[in-house]
Amino acid sequence: MDNMSITNTPTSNDACLSIVHSLMCHRQGGESETFAKRAIESLVKKLKEKKDELDSLITAITTNGAHPSKCVTIQRTLDGRLQVAGRKGFPHVIYARLWRWPDLHKNELKHVKYCQYAFDLKCDSVCVNPYHYERVVSPGIDLSGLTLQSNGQPASILGGSHSEGLLQIASGPQPGQQQNGFTGQPATYHHNSTTTWTGSRTAPYTPNLPHHQNGHLQHHPPMPPHPGHYWPVHNELAFQPPISNHPAPEYWCSIAYFEMDVQVGETFKVPSSCPIVTVDGYVDPSGGDRFCLGQLSNVHRTEAIERARLHIGKGVQLECKGEGDVWVRCLSDHAVFVQSYYLDREAGRAPGDAVHKIYPSAYIKVFDLRQCHRQMQQQAATAQAAAAAQAAAVAGNIPGPGSVGGIAPAISLSAAAGIGVDDLRRLCILRMSFVKGWGPDYPRQSIKETPCWIEIHLHRALQLLDEVLHTMPIADPQPLD
C-alpha cells in the first residue's frame, strides 16, 4: 500500500483502490467490513467517469461534511433499490448508514433544500451524498428494543454522563430522543444495553450495565454525535474547587508504545496546552497533539505484529477534561481494549479484574481524578495502619481475648501491609491495546502478549500521589522474617 493512500486525501484522478481505502477509513462501523467495501467499490466505479461528483464525494466524506459539496448521483433502478453483496436497499440510506448513522431507519432521511437529485424527487438519477440528507424522527419507529438512558443510570452505557455536564446530541433531532418529563433533559435511547455475562469470571450485575460478552465489559457506541456538538447540562461538579493548589504539570500525560513486552520508540509527552491527543497508525510526523505509531520501527517485529498494526488506522483520541478526568473516543474500525480502575468500579468489579472492550465510534470516560485521589488516600492509610498492626502482631502485642504473638496473625495483615508505592502508581496509569484483546477468554492472559498497546501515565494524578505520600508516607513492603 503506498503512503499516498494513507496520509493524503485522494482525488478522482487516483486509482479506485486508493479512493476506496480512504473512504473506508471514514465508515461508521454499522456494517461489516466486506459489505462496506463492496458498497464503496461499487459507488466509486460508477463515479469514475464523473470526476467532479467523485471529488464531491471524497470532499464530503473526508471532511465530515465541513465543506459544501455537490450532488453525487447514480442511476435510479426500476424499484428504486440498489443491490450490494446480495442485499437490496435504498441507495441514499445505504451510504448514509455507512458514513453517518449506522443505526438509521429507512424512513428517517429528509433531503436538504439544495439537493437537486434527492431520492424523493424521483429523478432518473439519485443523489447518494450522505451530507445532502438530514436525519428526522420517524413516527413509525419501533422503540420496543430500546432502553431509556436517564439521569439515574450508569454513564458507562452511553460513554457519557449527565452528571459530567455533557450529553452528546446530533446536529438535528435524533430518533429515540424525546423530552424526559422528570428532568427536562433529553433522554437518549440505546440498543442492546441489557446485561448478560458469559465467561469464566461470572459475577452478579445490576441491570443496565454495559453489555458483556467473552469475559469483557463491552461499551457499545452511542448514537454518533455530530463532531463538536454537545448539549450543556447544569452541573454542580463544575463548581468544585481543584483537589490541589499545585499548578498543573507541564504535560498532562505521557504515552509509551509497546509491541508485546518491548517498548518501541520514545515516550510521547502531551503538553497541557493540548487537552486532546490522537494516537493513530499512520506515518505522519508526530506533533504535540498526535502520536503516529506507523512511523516507528522495531527490529524484533513479527509478521503478526505487522498485521495488527495495519488495523490501528485512525486509532483513539484521549481527552483530558477539568483537572484531570480522561475520556477515550475510539476512531479505529476495530475495538480497543482498556484496563481502567474507573470502569472496573462503575461495573462493580474488583480493581484490575476486568478488561473493557470499547467499540468503534464509542466515546467513554475511563479515568476520574477525584475517585483516583480518594482511592490512593484510602490505600495509603490502609497500608500504614496494616503495617503498624503487623509490627504489633509480630511483637505479640495484638489486643483482645486470646491474643497471640508471632507469625500467624501477622500473615493475615500482610496483604494490606504489602501495598507499596508501585501499587499506588498503577492507579494513575491506563493501558490500552489495539485490535487484539487479552484476559480470561483470550489466549493472551496479559496485555504484554498483545501485538500493539500503549501505556498512559497521567501526570496530575501522579502529582497528587506525591502529595499523598508526603502527608502519609508508606514504606515499601518488607518481607516477614
Side-chain angles (χ1 to χ4, degrees):
M1 191 180 296
D2 57 25
N3 286 343
M4 183 285 303
S5 65
I6 295 177
T7 59
N8 298 330
T9 302
T11 70
S12 57
N13 294 320
D14 287 309
C16 284
L17 191 64
S18 298
I19 299 170
V20 170
H21 173 77
S22 177
L23 297 178
M24 279 286 285
C25 292
H26 293 269
R27 67 191 180 90
Q28 290 298 307
E31 297 286 3
S32 72
E33 191 168 348
T34 305
F35 180 86
K37 193 171 184 185
R38 292 277 287 279
I40 294 171
E41 279 174 346
S42 164
L43 181 57
V44 169
K45 283 174 184 170
K46 287 185 173 98
L47 297 173
K48 203 60 177 140
E49 302 306 313
K50 298 188 280 188
K51 291 187 179 299
D52 58 334
E53 292 190 22
L54 183 50
D55 281 324
S56 273
L57 176 72
I58 293 167
T59 299
I61 301 308
T62 57
T63 66
N64 295 323
H67 298 295
S69 51
K70 300 176 185 174
C71 284
V72 175
T73 61
I74 60 172
Q75 188 71 29
R76 180 185 287 270
T77 59
L78 284 174
D79 66 354
R81 294 186 301 166
L82 180 69
Q83 181 157 325
V84 176
R87 280 167 47 190
K88 277 196 164 190
F90 295 113
H92 63 313
V93 176
I94 288 173
Y95 294 107
R97 272 184 191 147
L98 267 182
W99 283 309
R100 290 195 74 183
W101 304 287
D103 57 347
L104 181 73
H105 292 261
K106 65 183 179 185
N107 303 320
E108 293 172 13
L109 286 184
K110 174 187 171 187
H111 64 270
V112 295
K113 288 178 183 173
Y114 52 82
C115 182
Q116 297 174 293
Y117 297 96
F119 183 81
D120 294 336
L121 299 180
K122 305 208 181 325
C123 304
D124 288 341
S125 296
V126 178
C127 177
V128 294
N129 184 337
Y131 292 93
H132 277 206
Y133 294 89
E134 292 172 340
R135 189 174 185 177
V136 295
V137 177
S138 165
I141 295 178
D142 174 19
L143 296 178
S144 60
L146 307 175
T147 56
L148 177 64
Q149 159 79 21
S150 69
N151 281 12
Q153 292 182 4
S156 34
I157 299 171
L158 232 137
S161 164
H162 296 262
S163 65
E164 289 305 320
L166 288 177
L167 174 66
Q168 296 179 324
I169 61 167
S171 53
Q174 290 291 292
Q177 278 197 347
Q178 62 183 36
Q179 206 64 15
N180 180 338
F182 297 107
T183 62
Q185 300 297 350
T188 308
Y189 290 93
H190 292 275
H191 289 279
N192 299 328
S193 50
T194 53
T195 301
T196 56
W197 173 268
T198 57
S200 56
R201 297 191 179 180
T202 307
Y205 281 89
T206 52
N208 299 319
L209 280 174
H211 195 68
H212 295 68
Q213 189 177 339
N214 298 333
H216 289 72
L217 289 94
Q218 304 194 354
H219 301 277
H220 290 269
M223 287 172 144
H226 194 278
H229 284 66
Y230 295 97
W231 187 272
V233 178
H234 175 69
N235 173 17
E236 67 278 6
L237 294 178
F239 306 110
Q240 289 186 336
I243 300 171
S244 167
N245 293 324
H246 273 89
E250 182 183 357
Y251 301 98
W252 73 264
C253 78
S254 52
I255 306 168
Y257 169 64
F258 293 83
E259 291 174 5
M260 310 296 275
D261 60 351
V262 174
Q263 182 174 348
V264 178
E266 299 293 319
T267 298
F268 184 83
K269 292 186 175 181
V270 185
S272 293
S273 57
C274 294
I276 299 178
V277 60
T278 304
V279 183
D280 61 36
Y282 300 141
V283 295
D284 288 0
S286 297
D289 64 348
R290 188 169 172 208
F291 186 17
C292 295
L293 306 178
Q295 61 174 340
L296 300 176
S297 58
N298 174 12
V299 293
H300 303 293
R301 186 172 292 154
T302 63
E303 193 179 328
I305 294 172
E306 196 68 75
R307 276 199 307 272
R309 277 168 53 84
L310 288 174
H311 293 295
I312 296 173
K314 292 184 186 177
V316 293
Q317 242 176 21
L318 305 168
E319 182 174 0
C320 181
K321 291 190 179 183
E323 193 178 351
D325 294 353
V326 180
W327 294 63
V328 166
R329 188 187 299 278
C330 180
L331 303 176
S332 173
D333 290 342
H334 296 266
V336 293
F337 298 81
V338 178
Q339 190 175 59
S340 155
Y341 290 139
Y342 170 76
L343 290 177
D344 293 343
R345 187 185 178 106
E346 288 290 291
R349 305 289 291 178
D353 191 40
V355 177
H356 304 266
K357 183 175 184 179
I358 300 182
Y359 277 85
S361 80
Y363 179 56
I364 190 164
K365 184 176 181 180
V366 293
F367 180 81
D368 184 288
L369 186 67
R370 287 180 186 275
Q371 184 213 76
C372 176
H373 186 238
R374 284 194 301 272
Q375 209 168 341
M376 61 177 71
Q377 285 179 315
Q378 288 164 2
Q379 287 196 17
T382 301
Q384 239 189 355
Q390 186 185 31
V394 171
N397 294 331
I398 286 189
S403 296
V404 292
I407 200 75
I411 288 174
S412 66
L413 296 164
S414 63
I419 296 171
V421 174
D422 282 348
D423 298 285
L424 295 176
R425 281 177 61 82
R426 281 191 201 105
L427 301 175
C428 312
I429 294 171
L430 295 167
R431 285 176 157 188
M432 185 184 306
S433 71
F434 296 98
V435 187
K436 300 291 185 182
W438 81 96
D441 292 288
Y442 282 84
R444 298 164 292 275
Q445 293 304 301
S446 158
I447 195 170
K448 292 183 178 181
E449 296 168 42
T450 63
C452 36
W453 59 280
I454 53 175
E455 185 170 86
I456 304 137
H457 290 240
L458 303 171
H459 293 191
R460 185 61 166 176
L462 289 165
Q463 200 178 39
L464 293 177
L465 177 57
D466 277 347
E467 289 184 24
V468 168
L469 293 175
H470 275 100
T471 55
M472 200 186 301
I474 65 171
D476 268 328
Q478 298 296 319
L480 292 169
D481 292 334

